[in-house]
PDB file of all heavy atoms in Angstrom:
ATOM      1  N   VAL Y   1      -6.406  -4.390  -0.006  1.00 98.00           N
ATOM      2  CA  VAL Y   1      -6.709  -3.027   0.321  1.00 98.00           C
ATOM      3  C   VAL Y   1      -8.239  -2.950   0.631  1.00 98.00           C
ATOM      4  O   VAL Y   1      -9.051  -3.513  -0.077  1.00 98.00           O
ATOM      5  CB  VAL Y   1      -6.390  -2.094  -0.805  1.00 98.00           C
ATOM      6  CG1 VAL Y   1      -6.777  -0.607  -0.493  1.00 98.00           C
ATOM      7  CG2 VAL Y   1      -4.874  -2.138  -1.153  1.00 98.00           C
ATOM      8  N   GLY Y   2      -8.578  -2.222   1.654  1.00 96.00           N
ATOM      9  CA  GLY Y   2     -10.005  -2.018   1.974  1.00 96.00           C
ATOM     10  C   GLY Y   2     -10.620  -1.016   1.031  1.00 96.00           C
ATOM     11  O   GLY Y   2     -10.029  -0.005   0.674  1.00 96.00           O
ATOM     12  N   LYS Y   3     -11.841  -1.272   0.626  1.00 92.00           N
ATOM     13  CA  LYS Y   3     -12.568  -0.361  -0.293  1.00 92.00           C
ATOM     14  C   LYS Y   3     -13.038   0.872   0.462  1.00 92.00           C
ATOM     15  O   LYS Y   3     -13.142   1.947  -0.096  1.00 92.00           O
ATOM     16  CB  LYS Y   3     -13.727  -1.042  -0.967  1.00 92.00           C
ATOM     17  CG  LYS Y   3     -14.324  -0.249  -2.181  1.00 92.00           C
ATOM     18  CD  LYS Y   3     -15.277  -1.144  -2.946  1.00 92.00           C
ATOM     19  CE  LYS Y   3     -15.810  -0.410  -4.134  1.00 92.00           C
ATOM     20  NZ  LYS Y   3     -14.806  -0.070  -5.154  1.00 92.00           N
ATOM     21  N   HIS Y   4     -13.325   0.656   1.742  1.00 89.00           N
ATOM     22  CA  HIS Y   4     -13.790   1.798   2.579  1.00 89.00           C
ATOM     23  C   HIS Y   4     -13.100   1.764   3.935  1.00 89.00           C
ATOM     24  O   HIS Y   4     -12.149   2.442   4.121  1.00 89.00           O
ATOM     25  CB  HIS Y   4     -15.326   1.782   2.714  1.00 89.00           C
ATOM     26  CG  HIS Y   4     -16.029   2.014   1.395  1.00 89.00           C
ATOM     27  ND1 HIS Y   4     -15.918   3.194   0.673  1.00 89.00           N
ATOM     28  CD2 HIS Y   4     -16.841   1.151   0.652  1.00 89.00           C
ATOM     29  CE1 HIS Y   4     -16.658   3.082  -0.415  1.00 89.00           C
ATOM     30  NE2 HIS Y   4     -17.193   1.887  -0.462  1.00 89.00           N
ATOM     31  N   ALA Y   5     -13.689   1.071   4.882  1.00 89.00           N
ATOM     32  CA  ALA Y   5     -13.317   1.197   6.277  1.00 89.00           C
ATOM     33  C   ALA Y   5     -11.880   0.735   6.543  1.00 89.00           C
ATOM     34  O   ALA Y   5     -11.499  -0.376   6.188  1.00 89.00           O
ATOM     35  CB  ALA Y   5     -14.278   0.404   7.165  1.00 89.00           C
ATOM     36  N   GLY Y   6     -11.112   1.619   7.122  1.00 92.00           N
ATOM     37  CA  GLY Y   6      -9.759   1.243   7.598  1.00 92.00           C
ATOM     38  C   GLY Y   6      -9.718   1.038   9.103  1.00 92.00           C
ATOM     39  O   GLY Y   6     -10.747   1.031   9.788  1.00 92.00           O
ATOM     40  N   GLY Y   7      -8.544   0.874   9.594  1.00 90.00           N
ATOM     41  CA  GLY Y   7      -8.407   0.630  11.062  1.00 90.00           C
ATOM     42  C   GLY Y   7      -6.974   0.945  11.510  1.00 90.00           C
ATOM     43  O   GLY Y   7      -6.091   1.239  10.752  1.00 90.00           O
ATOM     44  N   PHE Y   8      -6.818   0.807  12.810  1.00 90.00           N
ATOM     45  CA  PHE Y   8      -5.565   1.097  13.520  1.00 90.00           C
ATOM     46  C   PHE Y   8      -4.390   0.443  12.847  1.00 90.00           C
ATOM     47  O   PHE Y   8      -3.296   0.972  12.815  1.00 90.00           O
ATOM     48  CB  PHE Y   8      -5.758   0.668  14.954  1.00 90.00           C
ATOM     49  CG  PHE Y   8      -4.572   0.874  15.834  1.00 90.00           C
ATOM     50  CD1 PHE Y   8      -4.224   2.178  16.239  1.00 90.00           C
ATOM     51  CD2 PHE Y   8      -3.841  -0.172  16.339  1.00 90.00           C
ATOM     52  CE1 PHE Y   8      -3.117   2.350  17.129  1.00 90.00           C
ATOM     53  CE2 PHE Y   8      -2.761   0.032  17.185  1.00 90.00           C
ATOM     54  CZ  PHE Y   8      -2.423   1.280  17.578  1.00 90.00           C
ATOM     55  N   GLN Y   9      -4.586  -0.787  12.347  1.00 92.00           N
ATOM     56  CA  GLN Y   9      -3.494  -1.634  11.870  1.00 92.00           C
ATOM     57  C   GLN Y   9      -3.247  -1.473  10.365  1.00 92.00           C
ATOM     58  O   GLN Y   9      -2.351  -2.131   9.830  1.00 92.00           O
ATOM     59  CB  GLN Y   9      -3.780  -3.097  12.147  1.00 92.00           C
ATOM     60  CG  GLN Y   9      -4.957  -3.665  11.360  1.00 92.00           C
ATOM     61  CD  GLN Y   9      -6.342  -3.147  11.729  1.00 92.00           C
ATOM     62  OE1 GLN Y   9      -6.585  -2.833  12.877  1.00 92.00           O
ATOM     63  NE2 GLN Y   9      -7.208  -2.941  10.779  1.00 92.00           N
ATOM     64  N   ASP Y  10      -4.028  -0.670   9.681  1.00 96.00           N
ATOM     65  CA  ASP Y  10      -3.902  -0.517   8.222  1.00 96.00           C
ATOM     66  C   ASP Y  10      -3.009   0.623   7.860  1.00 96.00           C
ATOM     67  O   ASP Y  10      -2.835   1.585   8.555  1.00 96.00           O
ATOM     68  CB  ASP Y  10      -5.311  -0.336   7.642  1.00 96.00           C
ATOM     69  CG  ASP Y  10      -6.256  -1.495   7.934  1.00 96.00           C
ATOM     70  OD1 ASP Y  10      -5.722  -2.611   8.105  1.00 96.00           O
ATOM     71  OD2 ASP Y  10      -7.474  -1.272   8.017  1.00 96.00           O
ATOM     72  N   GLY Y  11      -2.403   0.558   6.616  1.00 96.00           N
ATOM     73  CA  GLY Y  11      -1.410   1.554   6.240  1.00 96.00           C
ATOM     74  C   GLY Y  11      -1.588   2.046   4.796  1.00 96.00           C
ATOM     75  O   GLY Y  11      -2.584   1.809   4.124  1.00 96.00           O
ATOM     76  N   LEU Y  12      -0.533   2.772   4.376  1.00 98.00           N
ATOM     77  CA  LEU Y  12      -0.521   3.424   3.110  1.00 98.00           C
ATOM     78  C   LEU Y  12       0.707   3.007   2.331  1.00 98.00           C
ATOM     79  O   LEU Y  12       1.772   2.819   2.867  1.00 98.00           O
ATOM     80  CB  LEU Y  12      -0.555   4.946   3.303  1.00 98.00           C
ATOM     81  CG  LEU Y  12      -0.487   5.875   2.105  1.00 98.00           C
ATOM     82  CD1 LEU Y  12      -1.333   7.127   2.360  1.00 98.00           C
ATOM     83  CD2 LEU Y  12       0.946   6.269   1.808  1.00 98.00           C
ATOM     84  N   ILE Y  13       0.563   2.870   1.001  1.00 98.00           N
ATOM     85  CA  ILE Y  13       1.706   2.669   0.101  1.00 98.00           C
ATOM     86  C   ILE Y  13       1.636   3.650  -1.065  1.00 98.00           C
ATOM     87  O   ILE Y  13       0.552   3.749  -1.699  1.00 98.00           O
ATOM     88  CB  ILE Y  13       1.710   1.236  -0.483  1.00 98.00           C
ATOM     89  CG1 ILE Y  13       1.910   0.182   0.613  1.00 98.00           C
ATOM     90  CG2 ILE Y  13       2.823   1.073  -1.506  1.00 98.00           C
ATOM     91  CD1 ILE Y  13       1.746  -1.258   0.159  1.00 98.00           C
ATOM     92  N   ASP Y  14       2.701   4.351  -1.366  1.00 98.00           N
ATOM     93  CA  ASP Y  14       2.829   5.132  -2.570  1.00 98.00           C
ATOM     94  C   ASP Y  14       3.798   4.382  -3.473  1.00 98.00           C
ATOM     95  O   ASP Y  14       4.898   3.992  -3.030  1.00 98.00           O
ATOM     96  CB  ASP Y  14       3.391   6.569  -2.293  1.00 98.00           C
ATOM     97  CG  ASP Y  14       2.279   7.528  -1.951  1.00 98.00           C
ATOM     98  OD1 ASP Y  14       1.099   7.166  -1.901  1.00 98.00           O
ATOM     99  OD2 ASP Y  14       2.594   8.729  -1.708  1.00 98.00           O
ATOM    100  N   MET Y  15       3.405   4.218  -4.721  1.00 98.00           N
ATOM    101  CA  MET Y  15       4.270   3.495  -5.672  1.00 98.00           C
ATOM    102  C   MET Y  15       5.270   4.357  -6.380  1.00 98.00           C
ATOM    103  O   MET Y  15       6.111   3.876  -7.139  1.00 98.00           O
ATOM    104  CB  MET Y  15       3.384   2.790  -6.725  1.00 98.00           C
ATOM    105  CG  MET Y  15       2.499   1.698  -6.130  1.00 98.00           C
ATOM    106  SD  MET Y  15       3.382   0.350  -5.264  1.00 98.00           S
ATOM    107  CE  MET Y  15       4.198  -0.402  -6.691  1.00 98.00           C
ATOM    108  N   SER Y  16       5.232   5.666  -6.171  1.00 98.00           N
ATOM    109  CA  SER Y  16       6.163   6.563  -6.789  1.00 98.00           C
ATOM    110  C   SER Y  16       6.249   7.824  -5.948  1.00 98.00           C
ATOM    111  O   SER Y  16       5.525   8.045  -4.990  1.00 98.00           O
ATOM    112  CB  SER Y  16       5.787   6.951  -8.224  1.00 98.00           C
ATOM    113  OG  SER Y  16       4.505   7.674  -8.208  1.00 98.00           O
ATOM    114  N   GLY Y  17       7.257   8.667  -6.270  1.00 97.00           N
ATOM    115  CA  GLY Y  17       7.422   9.923  -5.555  1.00 97.00           C
ATOM    116  C   GLY Y  17       8.072   9.789  -4.221  1.00 97.00           C
ATOM    117  O   GLY Y  17       8.682   8.723  -3.860  1.00 97.00           O
ATOM    118  N   GLU Y  18       7.934  10.787  -3.379  1.00 95.00           N
ATOM    119  CA  GLU Y  18       8.589  10.827  -2.069  1.00 95.00           C
ATOM    120  C   GLU Y  18       8.179   9.666  -1.189  1.00 95.00           C
ATOM    121  O   GLU Y  18       8.974   9.097  -0.432  1.00 95.00           O
ATOM    122  CB  GLU Y  18       8.229  12.175  -1.380  1.00 95.00           C
ATOM    123  CG  GLU Y  18       8.627  12.295   0.066  1.00 95.00           C
ATOM    124  CD  GLU Y  18      10.163  12.446   0.274  1.00 95.00           C
ATOM    125  OE1 GLU Y  18      10.838  12.608  -0.715  1.00 95.00           O
ATOM    126  OE2 GLU Y  18      10.570  12.335   1.430  1.00 95.00           O
ATOM    127  N   GLY Y  19       6.908   9.301  -1.237  1.00 96.00           N
ATOM    128  CA  GLY Y  19       6.414   8.277  -0.351  1.00 96.00           C
ATOM    129  C   GLY Y  19       6.977   6.866  -0.645  1.00 96.00           C
ATOM    130  O   GLY Y  19       6.975   6.025   0.219  1.00 96.00           O
ATOM    131  N   ALA Y  20       7.402   6.649  -1.868  1.00 96.00           N
ATOM    132  CA  ALA Y  20       7.870   5.303  -2.269  1.00 96.00           C
ATOM    133  C   ALA Y  20       9.084   4.865  -1.515  1.00 96.00           C
ATOM    134  O   ALA Y  20       9.317   3.678  -1.313  1.00 96.00           O
ATOM    135  CB  ALA Y  20       8.160   5.287  -3.786  1.00 96.00           C
ATOM    136  N   LYS Y  21       9.863   5.796  -1.013  1.00 94.00           N
ATOM    137  CA  LYS Y  21      11.117   5.427  -0.323  1.00 94.00           C
ATOM    138  C   LYS Y  21      10.864   4.879   1.091  1.00 94.00           C
ATOM    139  O   LYS Y  21      11.773   4.368   1.683  1.00 94.00           O
ATOM    140  CB  LYS Y  21      12.114   6.606  -0.291  1.00 94.00           C
ATOM    141  CG  LYS Y  21      11.700   7.693   0.625  1.00 94.00           C
ATOM    142  CD  LYS Y  21      12.716   8.859   0.591  1.00 94.00           C
ATOM    143  CE  LYS Y  21      12.444   9.945   1.580  1.00 94.00           C
ATOM    144  NZ  LYS Y  21      13.411  11.047   1.530  1.00 94.00           N
ATOM    145  N   TYR Y  22       9.630   5.040   1.584  1.00 94.00           N
ATOM    146  CA  TYR Y  22       9.387   4.660   2.990  1.00 94.00           C
ATOM    147  C   TYR Y  22       8.936   3.264   3.182  1.00 94.00           C
ATOM    148  O   TYR Y  22       8.770   2.797   4.274  1.00 94.00           O
ATOM    149  CB  TYR Y  22       8.314   5.656   3.555  1.00 94.00           C
ATOM    150  CG  TYR Y  22       8.819   7.040   3.809  1.00 94.00           C
ATOM    151  CD1 TYR Y  22       8.619   8.032   2.848  1.00 94.00           C
ATOM    152  CD2 TYR Y  22       9.507   7.373   4.974  1.00 94.00           C
ATOM    153  CE1 TYR Y  22       9.039   9.355   3.078  1.00 94.00           C
ATOM    154  CE2 TYR Y  22       9.943   8.709   5.222  1.00 94.00           C
ATOM    155  CZ  TYR Y  22       9.735   9.670   4.306  1.00 94.00           C
ATOM    156  OH  TYR Y  22      10.187  10.899   4.475  1.00 94.00           O
ATOM    157  N   THR Y  23       8.686   2.523   2.092  1.00 94.00           N
ATOM    158  CA  THR Y  23       8.238   1.146   2.269  1.00 94.00           C
ATOM    159  C   THR Y  23       8.794   0.264   1.119  1.00 94.00           C
ATOM    160  O   THR Y  23       8.889   0.673  -0.030  1.00 94.00           O
ATOM    161  CB  THR Y  23       6.685   1.030   2.260  1.00 94.00           C
ATOM    162  OG1 THR Y  23       6.305  -0.308   2.215  1.00 94.00           O
ATOM    163  CG2 THR Y  23       6.094   1.780   1.061  1.00 94.00           C
ATOM    164  N   TYR Y  24       9.194  -0.908   1.502  1.00 96.00           N
ATOM    165  CA  TYR Y  24       9.753  -1.872   0.568  1.00 96.00           C
ATOM    166  C   TYR Y  24       8.753  -2.177  -0.539  1.00 96.00           C
ATOM    167  O   TYR Y  24       9.113  -2.506  -1.625  1.00 96.00           O
ATOM    168  CB  TYR Y  24      10.113  -3.154   1.351  1.00 96.00           C
ATOM    169  CG  TYR Y  24      10.569  -4.313   0.483  1.00 96.00           C
ATOM    170  CD1 TYR Y  24      11.874  -4.374  -0.025  1.00 96.00           C
ATOM    171  CD2 TYR Y  24       9.642  -5.339   0.141  1.00 96.00           C
ATOM    172  CE1 TYR Y  24      12.301  -5.444  -0.817  1.00 96.00           C
ATOM    173  CE2 TYR Y  24      10.026  -6.408  -0.675  1.00 96.00           C
ATOM    174  CZ  TYR Y  24      11.356  -6.406  -1.128  1.00 96.00           C
ATOM    175  OH  TYR Y  24      11.734  -7.486  -1.952  1.00 96.00           O
ATOM    176  N   TYR Y  25       7.443  -2.125  -0.217  1.00 97.00           N
ATOM    177  CA  TYR Y  25       6.430  -2.593  -1.185  1.00 97.00           C
ATOM    178  C   TYR Y  25       6.258  -1.699  -2.366  1.00 97.00           C
ATOM    179  O   TYR Y  25       5.576  -2.098  -3.322  1.00 97.00           O
ATOM    180  CB  TYR Y  25       5.136  -2.819  -0.379  1.00 97.00           C
ATOM    181  CG  TYR Y  25       5.305  -3.997   0.550  1.00 97.00           C
ATOM    182  CD1 TYR Y  25       5.743  -3.822   1.863  1.00 97.00           C
ATOM    183  CD2 TYR Y  25       5.127  -5.289   0.050  1.00 97.00           C
ATOM    184  CE1 TYR Y  25       5.992  -4.945   2.667  1.00 97.00           C
ATOM    185  CE2 TYR Y  25       5.349  -6.405   0.878  1.00 97.00           C
ATOM    186  CZ  TYR Y  25       5.771  -6.177   2.190  1.00 97.00           C
ATOM    187  OH  TYR Y  25       6.019  -7.260   2.976  1.00 97.00           O
ATOM    188  N   SER Y  26       6.881  -0.548  -2.430  1.00 97.00           N
ATOM    189  CA  SER Y  26       6.867   0.271  -3.644  1.00 97.00           C
ATOM    190  C   SER Y  26       7.705  -0.362  -4.701  1.00 97.00           C
ATOM    191  O   SER Y  26       7.645   0.088  -5.878  1.00 97.00           O
ATOM    192  CB  SER Y  26       7.276   1.662  -3.306  1.00 97.00           C
ATOM    193  OG  SER Y  26       8.646   1.685  -2.873  1.00 97.00           O
ATOM    194  N   GLN Y  27       8.539  -1.327  -4.349  1.00 97.00           N
ATOM    195  CA  GLN Y  27       9.476  -1.916  -5.265  1.00 97.00           C
ATOM    196  C   GLN Y  27       8.905  -3.145  -5.991  1.00 97.00           C
ATOM    197  O   GLN Y  27       9.527  -3.690  -6.943  1.00 97.00           O
ATOM    198  CB  GLN Y  27      10.786  -2.323  -4.571  1.00 97.00           C
ATOM    199  CG  GLN Y  27      11.440  -1.199  -3.840  1.00 97.00           C
ATOM    200  CD  GLN Y  27      12.644  -1.732  -3.032  1.00 97.00           C
ATOM    201  OE1 GLN Y  27      13.398  -2.550  -3.447  1.00 97.00           O
ATOM    202  NE2 GLN Y  27      12.772  -1.208  -1.796  1.00 97.00           N
ATOM    203  N   LEU Y  28       7.710  -3.622  -5.529  1.00 98.00           N
ATOM    204  CA  LEU Y  28       7.177  -4.837  -6.105  1.00 98.00           C
ATOM    205  C   LEU Y  28       6.044  -4.548  -7.038  1.00 98.00           C
ATOM    206  O   LEU Y  28       5.417  -3.479  -7.036  1.00 98.00           O
ATOM    207  CB  LEU Y  28       6.627  -5.702  -4.967  1.00 98.00           C
ATOM    208  CG  LEU Y  28       7.611  -6.189  -3.870  1.00 98.00           C
ATOM    209  CD1 LEU Y  28       6.882  -6.982  -2.838  1.00 98.00           C
ATOM    210  CD2 LEU Y  28       8.651  -7.099  -4.524  1.00 98.00           C
ATOM    211  N   LYS Y  29       5.775  -5.449  -7.945  1.00 98.00           N
ATOM    212  CA  LYS Y  29       4.526  -5.426  -8.744  1.00 98.00           C
ATOM    213  C   LYS Y  29       3.461  -6.110  -7.921  1.00 98.00           C
ATOM    214  O   LYS Y  29       3.711  -7.058  -7.199  1.00 98.00           O
ATOM    215  CB  LYS Y  29       4.807  -6.186 -10.064  1.00 98.00           C
ATOM    216  CG  LYS Y  29       5.795  -5.503 -10.960  1.00 98.00           C
ATOM    217  CD  LYS Y  29       6.257  -6.383 -12.095  1.00 98.00           C
ATOM    218  CE  LYS Y  29       7.299  -7.421 -11.690  1.00 98.00           C
ATOM    219  NZ  LYS Y  29       8.610  -6.786 -11.350  1.00 98.00           N
ATOM    220  N   HIS Y  30       2.233  -5.583  -8.046  1.00 98.00           N
ATOM    221  CA  HIS Y  30       1.162  -6.069  -7.223  1.00 98.00           C
ATOM    222  C   HIS Y  30      -0.093  -6.347  -7.992  1.00 98.00           C
ATOM    223  O   HIS Y  30      -0.451  -5.603  -8.893  1.00 98.00           O
ATOM    224  CB  HIS Y  30       0.781  -5.036  -6.120  1.00 98.00           C
ATOM    225  CG  HIS Y  30       1.906  -4.620  -5.241  1.00 98.00           C
ATOM    226  ND1 HIS Y  30       2.410  -5.384  -4.253  1.00 98.00           N
ATOM    227  CD2 HIS Y  30       2.556  -3.435  -5.209  1.00 98.00           C
ATOM    228  CE1 HIS Y  30       3.377  -4.699  -3.658  1.00 98.00           C
ATOM    229  NE2 HIS Y  30       3.503  -3.504  -4.215  1.00 98.00           N
ATOM    230  N   LEU Y  31      -0.739  -7.529  -7.706  1.00 98.00           N
ATOM    231  CA  LEU Y  31      -2.122  -7.710  -8.037  1.00 98.00           C
ATOM    232  C   LEU Y  31      -2.895  -7.267  -6.848  1.00 98.00           C
ATOM    233  O   LEU Y  31      -2.805  -7.881  -5.725  1.00 98.00           O
ATOM    234  CB  LEU Y  31      -2.435  -9.177  -8.359  1.00 98.00           C
ATOM    235  CG  LEU Y  31      -3.903  -9.409  -8.783  1.00 98.00           C
ATOM    236  CD1 LEU Y  31      -4.190  -8.731 -10.113  1.00 98.00           C
ATOM    237  CD2 LEU Y  31      -4.241 -10.891  -8.889  1.00 98.00           C
ATOM    238  N   VAL Y  32      -3.603  -6.156  -6.946  1.00 98.00           N
ATOM    239  CA  VAL Y  32      -4.253  -5.498  -5.829  1.00 98.00           C
ATOM    240  C   VAL Y  32      -5.700  -5.903  -5.768  1.00 98.00           C
ATOM    241  O   VAL Y  32      -6.536  -5.654  -6.674  1.00 98.00           O
ATOM    242  CB  VAL Y  32      -4.130  -3.974  -5.895  1.00 98.00           C
ATOM    243  CG1 VAL Y  32      -4.718  -3.326  -4.674  1.00 98.00           C
ATOM    244  CG2 VAL Y  32      -2.633  -3.564  -6.069  1.00 98.00           C
ATOM    245  N   LEU Y  33      -6.093  -6.440  -4.623  1.00 98.00           N
ATOM    246  CA  LEU Y  33      -7.508  -6.769  -4.331  1.00 98.00           C
ATOM    247  C   LEU Y  33      -8.068  -5.635  -3.525  1.00 98.00           C
ATOM    248  O   LEU Y  33      -7.582  -5.359  -2.369  1.00 98.00           O
ATOM    249  CB  LEU Y  33      -7.604  -8.048  -3.578  1.00 98.00           C
ATOM    250  CG  LEU Y  33      -9.005  -8.347  -2.942  1.00 98.00           C
ATOM    251  CD1 LEU Y  33     -10.045  -8.512  -4.029  1.00 98.00           C
ATOM    252  CD2 LEU Y  33      -8.939  -9.610  -2.078  1.00 98.00           C
ATOM    253  N   VAL Y  34      -9.018  -4.889  -4.069  1.00 98.00           N
ATOM    254  CA  VAL Y  34      -9.711  -3.841  -3.342  1.00 98.00           C
ATOM    255  C   VAL Y  34     -11.105  -4.364  -3.079  1.00 98.00           C
ATOM    256  O   VAL Y  34     -11.852  -4.678  -3.976  1.00 98.00           O
ATOM    257  CB  VAL Y  34      -9.735  -2.511  -4.168  1.00 98.00           C
ATOM    258  CG1 VAL Y  34     -10.411  -1.438  -3.316  1.00 98.00           C
ATOM    259  CG2 VAL Y  34      -8.349  -2.086  -4.564  1.00 98.00           C
ATOM    260  N   ALA Y  35     -11.440  -4.498  -1.741  1.00 97.00           N
ATOM    261  CA  ALA Y  35     -12.692  -5.172  -1.469  1.00 97.00           C
ATOM    262  C   ALA Y  35     -13.342  -4.581  -0.195  1.00 97.00           C
ATOM    263  O   ALA Y  35     -12.695  -3.942   0.650  1.00 97.00           O
ATOM    264  CB  ALA Y  35     -12.438  -6.647  -1.285  1.00 97.00           C
ATOM    265  N   ASP Y  36     -14.616  -4.852  -0.062  1.00 96.00           N
ATOM    266  CA  ASP Y  36     -15.369  -4.480   1.117  1.00 96.00           C
ATOM    267  C   ASP Y  36     -16.134  -5.664   1.635  1.00 96.00           C
ATOM    268  O   ASP Y  36     -16.351  -6.649   0.894  1.00 96.00           O
ATOM    269  CB  ASP Y  36     -16.358  -3.365   0.768  1.00 96.00           C
ATOM    270  CG  ASP Y  36     -16.745  -2.527   2.009  1.00 96.00           C
ATOM    271  OD1 ASP Y  36     -16.204  -2.799   3.091  1.00 96.00           O
ATOM    272  OD2 ASP Y  36     -17.653  -1.673   1.886  1.00 96.00           O
TER     273      ASP Y  36
END
C-alpha cells in the first residue's frame, strides 16, 4: 500500500462491511507494507 501518492492503477480494499464483498482480498489475512 502506498503511504501517500496513488495512481491510475491503484485500488481500495475494505476488510469488513459493504465494501468487503467487492474484492476477494477481504477474505485473506495480510501482512501489509505501507511505504513511500
Side-chain angles (χ1 to χ4, degrees):
V1 178
K3 194 170 181 65
H4 294 296
F8 181 69
Q9 69 290 326
D10 300 331
L12 177 146
I13 297 174
D14 273 2
M15 295 300 292
S16 62
E18 172 69 12
K21 72 181 185 182
Y22 288 96
T23 173
Y24 174 81
Y25 290 91
S26 63
Q27 303 174 43
L28 299 177
K29 294 167 280 290
H30 304 287
L31 182 65
V32 183
L33 168 63
V34 183
D36 200 6

